[in-house]
Amino acid sequence: MILGWLIVILIAGGLIAWPLARLHPLLSRLIALSAVTLDLALALVLATRDFGPGSTAGGGWREELDWSWIPQFGIHFHLGMDGLSFLLVLLTLFLGVVAVVVSWTEIATAVGFYHFNLLLILAGILGVLLSLDLFLFYFSWELMLVPMYFLISVWGRERRTHAAVKFFLFTQLSGLLMLIALLALYFAHHQATGIYTFEYQDLLGTPLDPHRAMWIMLGFLAAFAVKLPAFPFHTWLPDACAEASAASNLVLASLMAATAAYAMIRFLLPLFPEAVHTISPLMIVLAVIGILYSAILAFSQTNLMRLVAYASIGHLGFVLLGIFAGNSLALRGTVMTVIAHGVSIGALFLVAGAVEKRVQSREIDTMGGLWDTIPCLSGVGLFFALAALGLPGLGDFIGEFLILIGTYQAHIAAAAVAALGVLAATFYALRFVQYAFQGTNIHSWHLPDLAAHEGFVLGVLIAVLLWLGLYPQPVLQTLAQAASHAPALWR
Amino acid sequence: MLRLLWLVPAIPLASALALAVLRLSQKTVAWLGTCSITASSVISLLVSISFLNAPPASGAYTQILWRWFDVNGLRPEIALYLDPLSLVMMVVVAFVSFLIHLYSTEFMSGDDGYGRFFAYMNLFVGCMLTLVLANNLLLLYLGWEGVGLCSYLLIGFWYRDPANGRAGRKAFIVTRAGDTAMVIGLFLLFHDLGTLNIQDLMHRAVLQWPIGSSGALAAAFLLLSGAVGKSAQLPLQTWLPDAMAGPTPVSALIHAATMVTAGVYLIARTHTLYSLAPQAQFAAAVIGAATLLMAGFSALTQHDLKRVLAYSTISQIGYMFLALGVGAWPAAIFHFMTHAFFKALLFLGAGIVIESLGGEHDIFRMGGLRQKLPVTFWTFLVAGCSLAGLPLITAGAFSKGWIVWGAYSAANGSAELWVVALAGVFLTALYTFRMIFLVFFGQQNSQVTRKPGPAMVIPCLILAFLSIAGGYIRTPFASYLSTVLAWNPGITRSPSFGEMFSEAIVALVFFLGLCLAYVFFLRRRDYSTVLASSPAGSVLHRFWFSDWGMDWLYDHLFVRPVVWIAKVGKGDPIDGFYAGVGRLNEIAWRGLSLSQSGRLRWYAAAVAAGTIVLIGVVIFS
């Protein structure tokens, strides 16, 4: 039942926050903040109840909710949570709180509608992460789309319409392919068993001939690869990030990517193991190319948000590599990377946003010497740049190391070339630090340093990255619980 | 007492955090930043004494702090490992760090980044101690990258000048290129041997890999690449001379005494692996020999005092690699220790000289400072003699003579390597006394504006003492270290001359270099000018001055292509495809909108034409 509440609270919060902004924008912000915080608190309750030291070991869904929705078509409102989905739910709600807090001063127009959209996206993400019914999954997947479109097109910068339309077309078209694939799977299952069902557990064992399985798998993969985004379907992300606000970029790059990675691990790998195995060499090559390609492009960007977006694509290349490496070490590393990437890249977007707010520009050429005037923000920016370049001791390193060491077991060359991606990350991360913060303060800027709420949020993100880097065992432990659903993947 | 071991790296790390977060006055920063290192070095001494008095039964002490993570057989710990080798490293690192921090309190005073400086320096010491004490390669790698980071931060410490930032990035990226190979080595070791714990790795390697097997070779070469990058050896040495852009205490601590010797430590730590991979070990010897010569020639041509010392550092680490490569293991570690003393002292002295002349780096504009800075002169002279190897007295002579002897007599040694090592001794003496004569003797060219205070002089005096006294402990040092790192004698051949003979030749070569330096750079300066301006001389001079053209080569081979690709790719070529699809749609839209003209006749004609085509299709198909 608590799973249902998680989603309901967000939607209700959004619906209340929208009209309240007419009374006072602050009310809207407060409602949004309390809704997300309440959700986060509920999730933490679940953490102690289901994954704490006292909880019983073993597999299964730790929380489950199953309502009949459209029984004629075998559609259920079926939610379930295991270690994997729990970790990403926690990430979503944590970054959701962060997004609301940083929007406090950043968003000044249409505050109510903004929070409505933000909370609706979060609800959609939770739906994706918790659905055990593929129809509900598809529904939630699409639920994220429209509000995100508005976040870009209403609160974006100059070329926001172009960016929003591009985002919409990419995700909508790939989503359609998934819908077709989903229906094909649905009917294939009926053909084989005589039952119409969208139920995840039932569809898992659907017998498919390899040819058909490949096509259905490709339909799903299209949606997931675009959403991640994987090379060469990534080009909507830099455009969107260049235009959208920092908080939307956090949602866009950190959380949407998490849903895509999750969907691959939860649905793609167990539903079509043979097809995935067949296509994995191609995907590994694409992942490795993507890692190097995006690192080089990140190095050449002058728009700060674009630079971070390419950095994000590079990290997600590691995620893709880990998913298709066919190795459980790499798969665990993937989840670590998804979480750490969410925090570090999200934080880099926030830093870029904070810099933009102060110097009124996203262009790196116009900056320089910020360390003279805003040392705290500069130091924080340096920290997250170091996290992005994979410094040991911070979360990203653990994830990437596990992915690479896992990939090495089967694909030595891929691991070796991808390791060069870690080196290439140094190029753009240090360039970011050099151009934004170091050098001379040619404009003789006197800017306000971090405000209390910014400092608090970024400080918490720093602490989380250090924790993930120095003691990731709780995360990996929780993840181990997920193994019971697809033992072949995690062994 | 051993249980206090964790405090040795923890105190500097904690104080680095405090210095980074808190806003403190300069005085508090100085106290906190120096006291933390003092505490760390005192604890390291206490731990060492207790370790020496009552060594653990197994010969080593392991302190497990917590399990880092545990997945599918990969179970690294955050754990410290103390044995004679890491003990030596720990004590030297902590103690030299302490002296340099003390020096820095005065050297950096008045700088507006005072707190930042000490935060970075403390972080460096913490990472370096983690590196030497780590019980597994992953934790070692954490320290390894951590010191690289601090090196980057401190080279670019004066961030307002973009050139400093560039030097810092160069250092970080070049060393990280080596680290990438090293981390692939970690993957290989885990894949083949199933652990990253160093001692377990060595045991399993011996059991699993026959001598010269491909696994051992690959692993040894990959680790060697990391070591070569960090220790500025061929072909990755190009970052170190530029690293001199950082404040001088940084050059003393990071780019001379401690961090750059991490590669030496890594190879010594995994020496069992290198015994299984003789080719890799011999490669280390060849790299060391080549580096010590090349850097020696480069040092001979530099004008910048700190760059002379930088090339000298590269050259001396070349000696350590040579010692490792031939199997003279303890000699490498011994030379690390003496080098840490005299090279730190040389940099600290250079810092005083440069400061007192108002930031002058060019040795040809110095001169005659002997009277103005007497204490600095004498300590610098002691350190210089130690570097060049003044026989019987200085520590450097003991350690270097030992390596030269090893180059001939140890397992992989040969007459050729011995000759190279001797040539290195000659070069070292030549460039060292060139520097000393130009800086402290002859005409006084510029005014001394500032004199060093006690916080700067005392560390120099202590290091000067150690640069002499350190040599006399060679025999107990070797016997103590022999439990973990024994000299690997050549068994196949009997040497045709003894150690005494080798030492005598070293002494002879040293005096030869000294005399030549005296003639060329003090007595008859015009000789050296004539030599350098002769056609062949000037070509060689330029070639050596520019580090044998390697910077130029790398610039054209790597930097420019990458920058060019980045520049060309900035707009994302892949996006061109999608943009093309979009444009195609737009053209189709324009075309179709043309057809919707509102003219009834056109519509009727189109309907008719369409009907005819359809009928045609039906009939003819």
Side-chain angles (χ1 to χ4, degrees), chain B residues 167-183:
Chain B
R169 275 173 293 157
K170 182 175 175 184
F172 203 27
I173 289 170
V174 172
T175 52
R176 251 192 153 214
D179 299 352
T180 305
M182 177 178 161
V183 86

Side-chain angles (χ1 to χ4, degrees), chain A residues 49-51 55-64 81-83 481:
Chain A
R49 194 168 86 186
D50 296 334
F51 303 99
S55 65
T56 50
W61 303 108
R62 284 300 164 88
E63 295 286 337
E64 207 171 346
M81 185 166 83
D82 65 352
Q481 191 274 324

Side-chain angles (χ1 to χ4, degrees), chain B residues 409-428:
Chain B
S409 72
N412 285 336
S414 62
E416 291 85 356
L417 290 175
W418 184 69
V419 171
V420 171
L422 277 180
V425 171
F426 172 72
L427 281 173
T428 313

Side-chain angles (χ1 to χ4, degrees), chain A residues 151-480:
Chain A
L151 277 198
I152 301 171
S153 68
V154 178
W155 292 273
R157 304 297 180 265
E158 300 83 36
R159 278 169 57 79
R160 56 181 179 267
T161 319
H162 172 258
V165 169
K166 194 168 180 177
F167 161 76
F168 192 84
L169 284 177
F170 267 83
T171 40
Q172 183 66 359
L173 282 176
S174 61
L176 275 178
L177 292 178
M178 172 164 75
L179 180 63
I180 295 168
L182 177 55
L183 291 175
L185 179 65
Y186 177 69
F187 288 117
H189 186 79
H190 174 251
Q191 225 170 27
T193 62
I195 303 166
Y196 283 118
T197 178
F198 281 105
E199 193 57 33
Y200 171 65
Q201 297 282 17
D202 298 340
L203 290 175
L204 268 186
T206 309
L208 292 167
D209 66 273
H211 189 66
R212 202 173 189 184
M214 177 57 83
W215 280 106
I216 297 178
M217 192 278 292
L218 284 177
F220 279 95
L221 181 59
F224 302 157
V226 168
K227 191 75 124 201
L228 189 60
F231 177 88
F233 309 109
H234 62 275
T235 65
W236 61 269
L237 185 72
D239 281 3
C241 289
E243 305 305 323
S245 68
S248 337
N249 285 347
L250 171 82
V251 175
L252 202 58
S254 298
L255 296 181
M256 297 241 165
T259 62
Y262 168 82
M264 288 194 202
I265 299 173
R266 173 72 78 212
F267 298 109
L268 204 68
L269 300 188
L271 281 173
F272 318 102
E274 284 86 18
V276 165
H277 186 74
T278 314
I279 204 175
S280 63
L282 174 69
M283 296 310 289
I284 287 174
V285 169
L286 283 182
V288 171
I289 294 176
I291 290 169
L292 293 176
Y293 182 84
S294 58
I296 297 290
L297 258 66
F299 176 67
S300 67
Q301 298 307 312
T302 51
N303 181 312
L304 217 48
M305 294 288 186
R306 228 177 231 290
L307 190 157
V308 181
Y310 277 106
S312 166
I313 295 167
H315 285 80
L316 295 168
F318 280 100
V319 167
L320 197 67
L321 181 64
I323 290 172
F324 284 93
N327 175 286
S328 68
L329 267 176
L331 201 59
R332 283 160 214 263
T334 300
V335 180
M336 269 310 289
T337 302
V338 167
I339 297 170
H341 156 271
V343 176
S344 61
I345 292 292
L348 275 178
F349 276 122
L350 301 186
V351 168
V355 169
E356 184 197 10
K357 199 166 77 183
R358 285 165 177 79
V359 307
Q360 300 301 324
S361 170
R362 291 181 167 191
E363 288 301 315
I364 214 169
D365 307 340
T366 62
M367 300 169 189
L370 289 180
W371 207 299
D372 272 353
T373 161
I374 42 173
C376 292
L377 179 56
S378 306
V380 168
L382 170 69
F383 180 90
F384 291 116
L386 296 175
L389 67 77
L391 191 76
L394 305 177
D396 291 84
F397 171 74
I398 302 287
E400 279 161 21
F401 184 79
L402 288 177
I403 290 174
L404 289 175
I405 206 168
T407 306
Y408 186 90
Q409 313 291 319
H411 312 277
I412 293 178
V417 180
L420 284 180
V422 181
L423 174 64
T426 321
F427 303 167
Y428 67 73
L430 298 189
R431 184 169 178 271
F432 171 80
V433 172
Q434 175 68 39
Y435 281 79
F437 305 126
Q438 301 185 330
T440 20
N441 186 355
I442 37 170
H443 303 277
S444 305
W445 271 319
H446 285 286
L447 303 168
D449 211 342
L450 283 179
H453 72 285
E454 291 173 321
F456 178 73
V457 164
L458 292 170
V460 172
L461 293 173
I462 288 176
V464 168
L465 278 181
L466 277 169
W467 169 59
L468 289 174
L470 292 174
Y471 188 53
Q473 193 54 28
V475 172
L476 294 165
Q477 195 76 45
T478 310
L479 197 54

Side-chain angles (χ1 to χ4, degrees), chain B residues 40-273:
Chain B
S40 181
S41 52
V42 166
I43 294 172
S44 78
L45 279 178
L46 291 176
V47 167
S48 306
I49 290 167
S50 116
F51 186 90
L52 292 172
N53 281 340
S58 63
Y61 170 71
T62 304
Q63 185 173 37
I64 298 174
L65 301 177
W66 70 86
R67 186 171 294 288
W68 200 346
F69 53 84
D70 179 357
V71 276
N72 301 43
L74 179 58
R75 321 170 65 216
E77 293 143 340
I78 304 282
L80 307 177
Y81 179 82
L82 189 69
D83 72 344
L85 175 60
S86 55
L87 183 138
V88 169
M89 297 294 293
M90 174 184 76
V91 172
V92 172
V93 166
F95 194 67
V96 172
S97 301
F98 155 66
L99 292 177
I100 292 174
H101 274 73
L102 183 61
Y103 176 93
S104 307
T105 53
E106 186 184 324
F107 186 88
M108 293 302 289
S109 68
D111 195 288
D112 58 3
Y114 201 75
R116 196 161 53 90
F117 179 83
F118 276 92
Y120 291 167
M121 289 287 269
N122 273 230
L123 180 64
F124 168 78
V125 178
C127 290
M128 188 71 204
L129 290 167
T130 310
L131 191 165
V132 299
L133 289 171
N135 93 323
N136 64 73
L137 284 179
L138 198 58
L139 184 62
L140 185 145
Y141 187 70
L142 184 147
W144 187 275
E145 292 290 289
V147 293
L149 164 71
C150 295
S151 158
Y152 155 74
L153 291 172
L154 284 160
I155 294 168
F157 176 75
W158 287 311
Y159 57 83
R160 291 191 189 98
D161 184 354
N164 296 345
R166 205 172 306 126
R169 275 173 293 157
K170 182 175 175 184
F172 203 27
I173 289 170
V174 172
T175 52
R176 251 192 153 214
D179 299 352
T180 305
M182 177 178 161
V183 86
I184 295 172
L186 262 55
F187 302 156
L188 188 150
L189 285 170
F190 176 71
H191 178 251
D192 284 14
L193 304 177
T195 178
L196 287 177
N197 180 301
I198 298 171
Q199 301 311 313
D200 293 350
L201 273 178
M202 295 305 122
H203 290 149
R204 291 186 197 179
V206 172
L207 294 177
Q208 213 164 314
W209 281 334
I211 289 177
S213 69
S214 60
L217 271 181
F221 268 111
L222 287 167
L223 293 188
L224 179 63
S225 311
V228 159
K230 198 59 110 196
S231 291
Q233 298 293 290
L234 271 175
L236 296 178
Q237 86 287 20
T238 57
W239 64 271
L240 189 62
D242 289 356
M244 298 299 122
T248 307
V250 172
S251 312
L253 179 59
I254 301 182
H255 303 117
T258 56
M259 183 192 84
V260 285
T261 54
V264 178
Y265 174 70
L266 177 68
I267 295 178
R269 184 82 279 175
T270 56
H271 68 279
T272 314
L273 178 65

